[in-house]
């Protein structure tokens, strides 16, 4: 806990004064203390300008230094200094061997950074700066070293001992102990170190690489989860094949291991050869996991696997470069999902996340460019901006370069920088060098935060057959930058004729554009494109595939949107037209709270999707879904949470009553009575069926309550069971769900993942009375404040139930304030995640704004971790903006 927090700046980067060629760890696990003996072969870094610098190794608060030896000689206390959790040695030769012995207590580590205990097993999480909690080290990503790890532990409690790389030795010791030695031949930074000791069972598979090497694939889980590994193993093999085909990248070791742990701060971690996963993000079977969870697991398995090249073989120079590996890897896993399943549905899902959460972050006190210029605590920057906007930036380069040159660029990047720790500039340089395209202006995406607005205007000259399209961009000021330079971005578009057919494109002064769709290079604050030989007044289909992370402002008429909603061949634009119409309708409902009349045009638009049996059902489910309250809030200048909720509910009811028969018919058509299947069609049917069920249950009719109860009673699969429960939970003022929730808990109380879902369904319900509900559940015997998944299911879900978090009396804010203080002493990273929403007061009503600031003020008066300190202070500093 500290309040004198230091700001770290990108501009102060210096290469390390020393390099560590090899790192030998000897880790002896003991009940009270775990001892760590670290032997380092160190030499001065020829690339450093400080040739007589002292050696400074970082260490965490919890480690007890026992002994320091240099070249075999014990240093007495005058030979080194221990200050501020740093180990400093002033007199160092050109090359030397340094050995330290430390004692740590992993069983007391509740921050889950470094070596800690999760249930009965020991495991590690070293990204970003967790390794320093294990031993004194050069804990920075540009210090690459070859690791050898020896682990010893009592054999009966910890029969499985794992670390990075290949197993090289193992055996029994005295006193019921045993040991294992692992060697990783690939030099890596400490954040990629991992080890595990536990009582785990193993599921095996194998993969033959393109060059014919056999790779053993192993998933380690607790025995009761052994039946939940198949999906992750299948996903892993698909990912390995895809990366060979798409990026020409093979796996490099002969062994790839995944370990599932219940206590984990994030989704999963790409440690070399030994990925560690949050159980929730790897274990699945149809009885306990919904379709959405299967999909999420596949994406995360792919993501961590892809890091082996984008992150591990080529790593980051410093933590400001985090998006180098995360943005690129999110982009790669999104491409994988798009290629393997439905590209349009995946794009819609990703754009929804980006516009709901990243745009909100960009407009918040925590706004930062995808390459931040400074931070107090790097953990705060594992953000939707660095990850999801970072992925959009890579995707924009792909659009600007085209498939062939993008692949040429990624090949050059991997080949040129294999084994190095580099920056986002190196990535862009590789793309630029391989393609010959000038990306200098494009780099503003890395240094400027904020969401640009693209204002598009047009005119058509029938006599000249000319269509003029003017695109203007502007980006609001953010803390790091008041006046933004224009961005370089790809603007994908087409022109549709009255039948919806794409017209041939002839752009004045640009012979490169042929065909019926194009990507325009937007570079200036304002620029005009002249399309020639345009035979009739076109309807523009703009920002196809959401080709840039911007807000598009074009004054579409309702008629045009209805046209695009049924005719646009671009799946994203089609959906977007529907969404715009639904948002506009919801805005009208906000103005008419005493009775909202839905228009016939909107009803028939929704009907035509609903009754069209030829459409992909997953896509229909997206087309008819209302925008979330969170996204609606994002589109408003002032946010009135209650009004948004009421208007959206009114819309839901209006649509359900206008289309009751169609919804019911569609429900019945999509209701699958055959054996459970996970094909795309079956998943789409479930999505559409359950969307219909939710609409129908807004009507308050017993008939539909029964339908949901029957769907629950069938217990066909977790998707249907969860959807049935959710549709009943959502009914304001009703307790129809209560007996089913009791039944659900009884069925599944031994499965901690399902219990997480049970908590989340109840705490995330956007109906009144949420706070009492959550307070009761916090007392439940299955709740554990030290388990991040439980905290996310209970407190995280509560924050997402907007009407409860934003309760007018401030009770939701005060509750979250209490939880932040309680959690900060346990797990700062999790506490700070809960603090970010409190800082998003800018567009709330004045009363709510004051109540949110009051909680932040109260937090700022406490002793805070760096994590929460940074979030709270940035929010308070922004109060006067
Ligand atoms: N690199 C991980 C990923 O693939 C992120 C991560 C996992 C992480 N655990 C963490 C980051 C703990 C910080 C702290 O996205
Ligand atoms: Zn990642």
């Amino acid at each position: 806990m500290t309040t004198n927090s230091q700001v770290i700046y990108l501009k102060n980067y210096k290469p390390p004064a020393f390099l560590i060629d090899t790192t030998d760890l000897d880790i002896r696990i003991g009940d009270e203390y775990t001892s760590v003996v670290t032997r380092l072969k160190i030499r001065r870094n020829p690339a450093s300008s400080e040739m007589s610098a002292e050696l400074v190794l970082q260490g965490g608060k919890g480690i007890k230094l026992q002994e320091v030896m240099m070249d075999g000689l014990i240093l007495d206390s005058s030979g080194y200094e221990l200050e501020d959790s740093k180990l400093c040695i002033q007199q160092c030769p050109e090359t030397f061997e340094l050995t330290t012995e430390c004692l740590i207590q992993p069983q007391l580590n509740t921050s889950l950074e470094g070596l800690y205990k999760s249930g009965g097993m020991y495991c590690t999480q070293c990204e970003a700066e967790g390794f320093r909690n294990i031993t004194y080290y050069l804990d920075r990503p540009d210090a690459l070293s070859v690791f050898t790890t020896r682990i010893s532990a009592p054999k009966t409690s910890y029969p499985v001992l794992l670390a990075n790389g290949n197993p090289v030795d193992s055996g029994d010791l005295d006193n019921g102990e045993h040991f294992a030695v692992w060697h990783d031949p690939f030099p890596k930074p400490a954040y990629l170190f991992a080890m595990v000791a536990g009582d785990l069972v193993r599921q095996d598979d194998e993969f033959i690489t393109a060059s014919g090497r056999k790779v053993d694939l192993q998933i380690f889980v607790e025995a009761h989860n052994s039946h939940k590994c198949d999906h992750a193993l299948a996903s892993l093999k698909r990912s390995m094949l895809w990366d060979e085909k798409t990026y020409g990248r093979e796996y490099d070791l002969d062994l790839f291991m995944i370990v599932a742990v219940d206590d984990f701060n994030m989704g999963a971690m790409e440690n070399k050869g030994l990925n560690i996963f949050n159980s929730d993000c790897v274990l699945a079977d149809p009885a306990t996991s919904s379709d959405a969870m299967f999909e999420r697991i596949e994406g995360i398995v792919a993501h961590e696997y892809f890091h082996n090249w984008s992150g591990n073989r080529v790593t980051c120079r410093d933590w400001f470069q985090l998006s180098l590996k995360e943005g690129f890897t999110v982009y790669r896993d999104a491409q994988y999902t798009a290629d393997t399943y439905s590209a349009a549905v995946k794009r819609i899902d990703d754009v929804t996340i980006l516009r709901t959460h990243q745009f909100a972050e960009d407009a918040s006190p925590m706004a930062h460019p995808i390459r931040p210029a400074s931070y107090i605590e790097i953990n705060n920057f594992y953000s939707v901006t660095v990850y999801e906007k970072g992925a959009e930036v890579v995707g924009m380069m792909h659009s600007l370069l085209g498939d062939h040159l993008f692949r040429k660029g990624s090949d050059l990047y991997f080949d040129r920088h294999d084994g190095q720790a580099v920056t986002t500039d190196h990535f862009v340089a590789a793309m630029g060098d391989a393609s010959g395209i000038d990306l200098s202006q494009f780099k503003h995406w890395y240094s400027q935060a904020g969401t640009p607005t693209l204002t598009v205007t047009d005119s058509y000259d029938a006599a000249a057959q000319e269509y003029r399209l003017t695109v203007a961009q502007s980006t609001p000021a953010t803390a790091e930058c008041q006046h933004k330079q224009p961005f370089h971005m790809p603007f994908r578009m087409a022109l549709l004729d009255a039948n919806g057919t794409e017209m041939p494109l002839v752009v004045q002064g640009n012979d490169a554009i042929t065909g019926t769709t194009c990507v325009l290079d937007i570079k200036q604050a304002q620029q005009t494109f002249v399309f020639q030989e345009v035979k009739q007044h076109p309807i523009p289909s703009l920002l196809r595939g959401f080709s840039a992370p911007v807000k598009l402002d074009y004054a579409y008429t309702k008629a045009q949107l209805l046209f695009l909603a049924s005719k646009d061949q671009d799946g994203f634009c089609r959906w977007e037209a529907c969404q715009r119409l639904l948002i506009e309708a919801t805005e009208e409902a906000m103005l008419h709270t005493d009775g909202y009349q839905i228009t016939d045009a909107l009803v028939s638009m929704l009907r035509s999707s609903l009754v069209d049996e030829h459409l992909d059902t997953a896509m229909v489910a997206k087309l008819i879904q209302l925008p979330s309250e969170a996204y609606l809030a994002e589109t408003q200048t002032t946010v009135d949470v209650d009004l948004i909720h009421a208007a959206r509910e009114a819309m839901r009811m209006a649509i359900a009553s206008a289309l009751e028969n169609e919804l019911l018919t569609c429900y019945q058509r999509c209701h699958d009575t055959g054996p459970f299947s996970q094909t795309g069609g079956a998943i789409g049917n479930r999505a559409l069926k359950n969307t219909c069920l939710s609409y129908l249950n807004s009507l308050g009719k017993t008939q539909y309550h029964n339908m949901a109860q029957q769907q629950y009673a069938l217990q066909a699969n977790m998707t249907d069971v969860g959807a049935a429960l959710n549709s009943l939970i959502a009914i304001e003022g009703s307790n129809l769900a209560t007996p089913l929730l009791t039944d659900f808990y009884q069925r599944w109380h031994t499965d901690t993942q399902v219990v997480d879902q049970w908590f989340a369904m109840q705490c995330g319900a956007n109906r009144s009375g949420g706070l009492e509900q959550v307070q009761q559940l916090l007392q439940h015997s299955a709740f554990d404040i030290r388990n991040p998944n439980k905290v996310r299911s209970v407190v995280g879900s509560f924050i997402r139930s907007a009407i409860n978090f934003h309760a007018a009396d401030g009770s939701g804010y005060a509750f979250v304030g209490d939880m932040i203080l309680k959690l900060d002493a346990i797990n700062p990273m999790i506490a700070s995640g809960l603090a970010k929403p409190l800082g998003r007061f800018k567009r709330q009503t004045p009363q709510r704004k004051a109540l949110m600031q009051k909680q932040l003020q109260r937090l700022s008066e406490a002793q805070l971790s760096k994590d929460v300190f940074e979030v709270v202070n940035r929010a308070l500093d922004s109060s006067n903006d």
Side-chain angles (χ1 to χ4, degrees):
M1 305 286 152
T2 169
T3 45
N4 68 20
S5 297
Q6 258 198 307
V7 183
I8 321 269
Y9 294 95
L10 168 58
K11 63 174 193 283
N12 292 344
Y13 172 84
K14 276 192 270 166
F18 293 88
L19 300 174
I20 304 178
D21 290 320
T22 62
T23 300
D24 280 273
L25 296 166
D26 181 356
I27 298 171
R28 293 169 199 227
I29 292 194
D31 277 343
E32 198 187 350
Y33 286 105
T34 289
S35 110
V36 181
V37 174
T38 308
R39 197 155 48 91
L40 306 173
K41 287 216 161 65
I42 303 182
R43 68 185 152 100
R44 289 193 180 270
N45 183 1
S48 166
S49 53
E50 305 155 284
M51 287 322 289
S52 56
E54 61 173 350
L55 173 70
V56 181
L57 301 181
Q58 289 91 4
K61 292 271 183 315
I63 65 182
K64 297 183 177 63
L65 181 66
Q66 300 297 105
E67 191 171 270
V68 186
M69 286 200 299
M70 190 184 273
D71 290 327
L73 296 174
I74 295 179
L75 296 186
D76 65 23
S77 54
S78 66
Y80 64 89
E81 260 174 80
L82 259 190
E83 53 168 62
D84 239 8
S85 32
K86 285 192 188 89
L87 171 62
C88 309
I89 302 178
Q90 242 149 33
Q91 307 295 331
C92 293
E94 205 52 33
T95 65
F96 57 100
E97 186 177 288
L98 188 79
T99 306
T100 57
E101 185 185 346
C102 300
L103 295 180
I104 54 176
Q105 296 187 284
Q107 69 278 15
L108 305 182
N109 178 353
T110 59
S111 72
L112 315 186
E113 298 174 286
L115 180 63
Y116 63 94
K117 247 187 133 175
S118 174
M121 78 201 258
Y122 287 85
C123 63
T124 52
Q125 172 54 43
C126 294
E127 188 178 4
E129 298 178 332
F131 191 76
R132 63 187 63 184
N133 297 329
I134 299 174
T135 186
Y136 287 96
Y137 202 75
L138 259 189
D139 191 6
R140 45 187 290 167
D142 57 353
L144 275 61
S145 185
V146 172
F147 280 69
T148 306
T149 308
R150 183 184 190 278
I151 312 165
S152 59
K155 191 171 181 175
T156 35
S157 304
Y158 309 103
V160 174
L161 304 175
L162 309 173
N164 314 88
N166 304 308
V168 291
D169 194 10
S170 64
D172 289 335
L173 301 163
D174 296 340
N175 306 326
E177 305 248 321
H178 71 147
F179 77 96
V181 181
W182 292 79
H183 177 75
D184 179 1
F186 293 94
K188 66 169 176 290
Y191 85 87
L192 291 172
F193 169 80
M195 61 147 282
V196 167
D199 187 359
L200 303 166
V201 299
R202 196 174 99 194
Q203 297 292 316
D204 288 305
D205 210 329
E206 63 178 49
F207 179 81
I208 310 291
T209 68
S211 64
R213 260 184 329 105
K214 178 164 96 59
V215 180
D216 289 317
L217 311 177
Q218 306 179 338
I219 302 196
F220 293 86
V221 298
E222 290 174 69
H224 62 270
N225 287 324
S226 61
H227 62 291
K228 289 189 176 186
C229 299
D230 296 352
H231 177 61
L233 277 170
S235 302
L236 176 59
K237 286 191 288 181
R238 280 193 286 272
S239 310
M240 294 177 87
L241 188 63
W242 183 89
D243 211 18
E244 291 181 347
K245 283 200 308 209
T246 315
Y247 282 87
R249 296 293 130 191
E250 263 189 35
Y251 186 62
D252 46 13
L253 289 161
D254 297 333
L255 174 61
F256 187 84
M257 297 175 282
I258 288 178
V259 180
V261 309
D262 286 343
D263 301 284
F264 203 71
N265 280 346
M266 304 260 288
M269 180 63 211
E270 69 265 23
N271 318 300
K272 184 78 187 188
L274 178 57
N275 286 0
I276 297 184
F277 274 63
N278 187 327
S279 301
D280 265 356
C281 298
V282 60
L283 303 177
D285 83 299
T288 58
S289 319
S290 64
D291 294 333
M293 293 168 81
F294 271 88
E295 193 190 309
R296 178 153 174 268
I297 287 168
E298 181 151 5
I300 297 177
V301 169
H303 178 98
E304 304 311 330
Y305 173 72
F306 296 154
H307 268 315
N308 190 57
W309 275 96
S310 49
N312 301 2
R313 288 289 287 259
V314 182
T315 196
C316 300
R317 186 192 74 174
D318 54 74
W319 290 122
F320 297 102
Q321 318 298 330
L322 182 58
S323 201
L324 174 75
K325 73 177 178 81
E326 295 305 345
F328 188 24
T329 305
V330 171
Y331 181 66
R332 276 151 56 70
D333 83 57
Q335 276 185 297
Y336 165 77
T337 303
D339 285 356
T340 312
Y341 300 97
S342 158
V345 170
K346 173 62 176 165
R347 192 62 190 140
I348 289 167
D349 285 341
D350 286 348
V351 172
T352 302
I353 291 172
L354 190 85
R355 292 201 296 208
T356 308
H357 304 292
Q358 198 281 322
F359 284 14
E361 181 163 79
D362 244 346
S364 84
M366 283 302 291
H368 52 275
I370 64 169
R371 184 193 58 211
S374 70
Y375 61 76
I376 292 175
E377 171 53 64
I378 186 56
N379 282 341
N380 286 328
F381 294 84
Y382 285 78
S383 62
V384 263
T385 299
V386 165
Y387 276 63
E388 270 71 27
K389 187 175 180 180
E392 293 297 321
V393 170
V394 175
M396 283 193 285
M397 278 187 269
H398 192 164
S399 294
L400 291 171
L401 270 62
D403 290 342
H404 173 69
L405 293 178
F406 181 73
R407 169 65 194 269
K408 218 176 139 200
S410 72
D411 283 350
L412 180 60
Y413 169 71
F414 287 129
D415 294 341
R416 194 186 258 177
H417 299 297
D418 189 8
Q420 298 177 358
V422 300
T423 66
T424 55
D425 289 335
H426 291 105
F427 185 84
V428 179
M431 289 292 165
D433 292 350
S435 65
I437 292 174
D438 177 5
L439 294 171
S440 44
Q441 185 189 348
F442 185 83
K443 284 192 184 177
H444 295 325
W445 286 108
Y446 286 90
S447 55
Q448 297 184 158
T451 308
T453 292
L454 282 194
T455 306
V456 177
T457 50
D458 61 353
S459 63
Y460 179 63
D461 179 342
Q465 299 203 337
E466 246 179 38
Y467 175 74
R468 301 170 79 85
L469 191 75
T470 298
V471 182
Q473 58 169 301
S474 75
T475 306
T478 46
E480 95 292 348
C481 175
Q482 290 301 303
H483 300 287
K484 314 263 165 152
Q485 301 291 121
F487 290 101
H488 178 191
M489 66 182 94
F491 188 70
R492 195 183 300 277
M493 54 142 332
L495 299 177
L496 306 186
D497 71 15
N499 299 318
T501 308
E502 292 166 0
M503 301 158 85
L505 299 176
V506 181
V507 180
Q508 194 177 70
N510 190 339
D511 297 337
I513 292 176
T514 56
T516 57
T517 68
C518 71
V519 175
L520 300 176
D521 263 55
I522 307 293
K523 289 189 152 178
Q524 293 152 29
Q526 176 169 324
Q527 75 204 96
T528 298
F529 301 89
V530 181
F531 294 82
Q532 297 171 318
E533 298 167 43
V534 183
K535 305 268 186 298
Q536 51 170 283
H537 196 150
I539 294 179
S541 168
L542 303 173
L543 200 68
R544 284 189 149 192
F546 198 69
S547 61
V550 299
K551 296 180 182 172
L552 175 66
D553 178 6
Y554 174 78
Y556 279 118
T557 64
K558 280 215 175 18
Q560 287 176 321
L561 289 173
L562 287 163
F563 176 87
L564 291 171
S566 68
K567 295 278 189 343
D568 202 324
Q569 276 120 306
D570 185 83
F572 168 78
C573 283
R574 207 173 147 203
W575 170 79
E576 176 69 350
C578 288
Q579 288 289 296
R580 279 189 182 230
L581 287 164
L582 289 168
I583 291 170
E584 286 175 15
T586 311
E587 283 169 346
E588 274 157 44
M590 287 190 223
L591 299 173
H592 301 96
T593 44
D594 45 351
Y596 166 70
Q597 277 291 331
I598 191 167
T599 64
D600 292 343
L602 191 56
V603 171
S604 55
M605 175 192 84
L606 295 168
R607 178 184 294 117
S608 66
S609 296
L610 211 44
V611 301
D612 187 341
E613 297 193 20
H614 302 295
L615 286 176
D616 169 22
T617 45
M619 190 64 184
V620 177
K622 298 284 171 209
L623 289 171
I624 66 170
Q625 223 143 51
L626 289 172
S628 68
E629 290 178 24
Y631 183 54
L632 287 166
E634 199 39 49
T635 64
Q636 305 299 303
T637 26
T638 3
V639 177
D640 181 337
V641 170
D642 298 316
L643 186 59
I644 290 175
H645 179 65
R648 187 174 179 279
E649 287 303 294
M651 278 290 293
R652 209 153 75 92
M653 239 186 284
I655 292 171
S657 68
L659 290 168
E660 185 174 352
N661 291 333
E662 289 85 347
L663 287 163
L664 181 57
T665 310
C666 186
Y667 176 89
Q668 284 157 346
R669 170 163 64 90
C670 294
H671 188 71
D672 193 345
T673 48
F676 179 71
S677 146
Q678 281 179 301
T679 59
I683 293 169
N685 286 350
R686 283 192 284 275
L688 180 53
K689 171 184 79 178
N690 289 321
T691 306
C692 295
L693 181 66
S694 153
Y695 269 117
L696 290 168
N697 262 306
S698 68
L699 293 173
K701 292 192 181 175
T702 314
Q703 176 192 356
Y704 302 123
H705 300 159
N706 292 343
M707 209 162 86
Q709 283 159 334
Q710 278 158 19
Q711 181 169 317
Y712 177 83
L714 269 179
Q715 292 287 319
N717 55 74
M718 194 48 94
T719 308
D720 285 354
V721 167
L725 273 173
N726 279 326
S727 79
L728 293 173
I729 292 172
I731 303 170
E732 186 65 53
S734 132
N735 43 30
L736 282 167
T738 313
L740 305 190
L741 284 164
T742 307
D743 175 82
F744 187 91
Y745 184 75
Q746 275 161 5
R747 268 174 208 272
W748 296 113
H749 66 277
T750 57
D751 187 315
T752 177
Q753 289 179 259
V754 186
V755 173
D756 287 344
Q757 297 175 58
W758 180 78
F759 277 120
M761 283 189 273
Q762 299 173 79
C763 300
N766 208 10
R767 51 182 273 176
S768 43
L771 183 56
E772 291 112 84
Q773 167 88 305
V774 167
Q775 265 156 347
Q776 254 175 37
L777 288 169
L778 284 176
Q779 303 307 315
H780 195 281
S781 60
F783 182 76
D784 174 4
I785 195 167
R786 282 161 308 164
N787 177 258
N789 291 353
K790 293 281 179 293
V791 174
R792 280 187 277 260
S793 293
V794 173
V795 191
S797 301
F798 172 79
I799 291 174
R800 261 173 274 122
S801 78
I803 60 170
N804 293 307
F805 176 54
H806 293 285
D809 61 359
S811 55
Y813 306 143
F815 165 69
V816 172
D818 292 345
M819 293 307 296
I820 292 166
L821 287 176
K822 213 177 272 178
L823 272 158
D824 201 26
I826 298 169
N827 186 329
M829 198 172 163
I830 298 298
S832 127
L834 302 178
K836 286 177 181 178
L838 269 184
R840 302 196 175 163
F841 48 67
K842 195 158 80 193
R843 288 179 297 119
Q844 295 291 331
T845 56
Q847 298 89 322
R848 288 197 170 103
K849 190 170 167 173
L851 290 164
M852 292 170 94
Q853 287 168 339
K854 187 176 133 195
Q855 289 305 319
L856 289 162
Q857 192 58 46
R858 173 183 157 225
L859 290 172
S860 76
E861 285 154 18
Q863 281 285 313
L864 297 173
S865 66
K866 281 201 283 183
D867 310 53
V868 176
F869 174 89
E870 181 170 37
V871 171
V872 165
N873 281 279
R874 279 176 76 136
L876 287 173
D877 287 349
S878 78
S879 293
N880 311 317
D881 289 0

